[in-house]
Amino acid sequence: MDRPPAPLRASRLAVTAAYVSQGLGYAVVVTSLPALKARQEVDDTMVSIIVLGVSFAAAAGSLVANAIAVRWGSRAALAFGLLVQAVFLPVIALPTAFPVFFAAFILFGVGLGCVDAAAAMQGVAVQRSYGRHLLGGFFAAATAAAIVGALLVSFVAFSALGAGIALAAAGVIALVAALIVIRFAAREVPVDEALPAAERAKLPRAGIWIFGFVILAVFISDSAISTWSTVYLQDELLTLAWVAPLGYAAYQAVVLVTRLVTDRLVTKLGRRPLVTAAVIVSGVGCVVVALLPFPVAAITGFALAGVASGILIPVTFGAAGELAPEHSDQVIARVNIFNYAGSIFGAVVLGLLADGPGLGIAFLIPAVALFAILFFVRRFRNAPQGAASPH
């Protein structure tokens, strides 16, 4: 295989930098919540409100990314989202009055959603130019960076400044990533310039809803496990305190491993078989959690469920970007919104069921959502071979 030209390799590096910044920054924020809660002297209800507000703000950020990308290209949208995070992560780190803290968190959420959407736009553009699958590697970079971010928070927890150091560091990394993106990211022809006005709104809406549902289902599972796996193991299965986090650790380990091999697997097997296998394995994992109330079974089930997040997210965004290549940025921004709906649903609905039938049986909800993807597997076509210029 011929070596890609230097500008294309630089664009790939820029997208990787964006995913690293995004994964690390988000992990630092969520793992710093206990320290921030104590500093701001707020209760769990207020923390839940903040997290919910960030989710809605991130959905708005995806729309912002769409608006910027249509006018100036996804490179501008990605740089903007990273700069927003670079500004507001340090503000969150500072001991400010609660209204300032809350506003900074919400505006960070806008940057979060903007980067989520724009990084996928850029990833699809670079993947298309390379002529081979790359999105799995980009998402793997985000997952690895998230692990580093969590370890960073753990390390600085012994410092008097606590989580503020990690948050400020994440802000610096976001700034560096923004500068790399501005300099090296793929330069697309924006939709406003590439298409006449009459063509700009002609989007593949059925495909957006189908791939949006896949993202929704995956993030229902992801959010349910991220939010409730440790609680379930400790409070309902009565495991030791050091055992309880192993469910989430096993889940994230599988997510990382599968993302590292997704690009090779999708090339070798094709999208449909790979998606089908990922859905079945992950759905079975959630069923195991729901029906076998034993710690070893639950940890194993959570690990199996990680296959969905590891494989389906990059494969789905790649497929969505090919629905209408001239509209790929617009399609991806809309599909990305389903991410936040799934996150809210998975966290909130399972929490409501915890006081009724219990958390264990509640994991049948993500199982049903994942198995429903099987009705849409036929929409996953294999990528066209060869490179093509975006737009």
Side-chain angles (χ1 to χ4, degrees):
M1 182 180 294
D2 294 337
R3 185 176 176 83
L8 188 53
R9 297 199 306 272
S11 296
R12 183 179 181 181
L13 172 65
V15 176
T16 302
Y19 272 96
V20 166
S21 174
Q22 182 81 334
L24 185 141
Y26 182 73
V28 165
V29 167
V30 296
T31 53
S32 296
L33 282 175
L36 295 173
K37 171 189 169 185
R39 189 192 73 189
Q40 298 296 143
E41 298 181 342
V42 296
D43 58 15
D44 288 339
T45 300
M46 182 53 66
V47 172
S48 297
I49 291 172
I50 292 171
V51 172
L52 187 62
V54 168
S55 295
F56 281 112
S62 192
L63 297 177
V64 170
N66 174 73
I68 295 174
V70 165
R71 183 72 181 274
W72 295 290
S74 60
R75 180 175 68 95
L78 183 53
F80 174 80
L82 288 166
L83 288 171
V84 169
Q85 292 189 33
V87 170
F88 291 104
L89 279 167
V91 176
I92 294 171
L94 295 172
T96 57
F98 181 76
V100 175
F101 171 79
F102 184 81
F105 239 110
I106 297 303
L107 290 170
F108 163 75
V110 173
L112 186 76
C114 193
V115 173
D116 267 346
M121 295 175 192
Q122 276 281 310
V124 168
V126 172
Q127 176 173 278
R128 187 184 299 121
S129 296
Y130 260 78
R132 58 189 174 92
H133 297 280
L134 299 173
L135 282 173
F138 293 142
F139 279 96
T143 304
I147 295 170
V148 173
L151 292 175
L152 175 62
V153 173
S154 176
F155 178 76
V156 301
F158 297 101
S159 165
L161 297 177
I165 295 175
L167 288 162
V172 172
I173 291 171
L175 177 60
V176 172
L179 296 175
I180 294 173
V181 165
I182 291 169
R183 176 67 179 86
F184 296 111
R187 298 174 183 269
E188 306 169 279
V189 178
V191 171
D192 276 358
E193 295 180 21
L195 298 175
E199 297 292 323
R200 293 171 194 164
K202 293 183 178 180
L203 302 177
R205 302 189 188 281
I208 289 171
W209 279 98
I210 288 170
F211 289 128
F213 172 78
V214 175
I215 293 296
L216 174 79
V218 174
F219 274 95
I220 287 174
S221 173
D222 178 80
S223 179
I225 294 168
S226 300
T227 306
W228 298 109
S229 60
T230 303
V231 175
Y232 173 60
L233 282 162
Q234 186 162 335
D235 292 355
E236 294 200 15
L237 300 188
L238 304 177
T239 62
L240 297 173
W242 68 269
V243 174
L246 294 182
Y248 184 63
Y251 170 79
Q252 284 293 350
V254 172
V255 171
L256 177 58
V257 170
T258 50
R259 285 180 173 176
L260 287 170
V261 300
T262 289
D263 293 330
R264 293 180 183 178
L265 288 176
V266 75
T267 300
K268 185 175 182 178
L269 302 177
R271 283 182 178 143
R272 290 177 186 172
L274 186 60
V275 168
T276 301
V279 167
I280 292 172
V281 170
S282 299
V284 168
C286 291
V287 171
V288 167
V289 174
L291 300 184
L292 298 178
F294 312 106
V296 172
I299 293 170
T300 302
F302 290 135
L304 293 174
V307 175
S309 292
I311 292 175
L312 295 182
I313 294 174
V315 170
T316 301
F317 275 114
E322 293 165 9
L323 284 171
E326 68 278 11
H327 292 287
S328 64
D329 290 352
Q330 295 164 285
V331 171
I332 288 169
R334 286 160 174 78
V335 170
N336 185 63
I337 293 173
F338 289 83
N339 163 351
Y340 311 110
S343 295
I344 293 169
F345 186 93
V348 173
V349 172
L350 264 73
L352 294 175
L353 292 175
D355 294 330
L359 269 176
I361 202 70
F363 278 97
L364 287 177
I365 293 176
V368 170
L370 288 169
F371 283 130
I373 296 172
L374 294 174
F375 291 103
F376 306 112
V377 168
R378 63 184 180 83
R379 295 300 298 264
F380 284 86
R381 296 189 297 269
N382 288 332
Q385 297 299 310
S389 298
H391 298 319

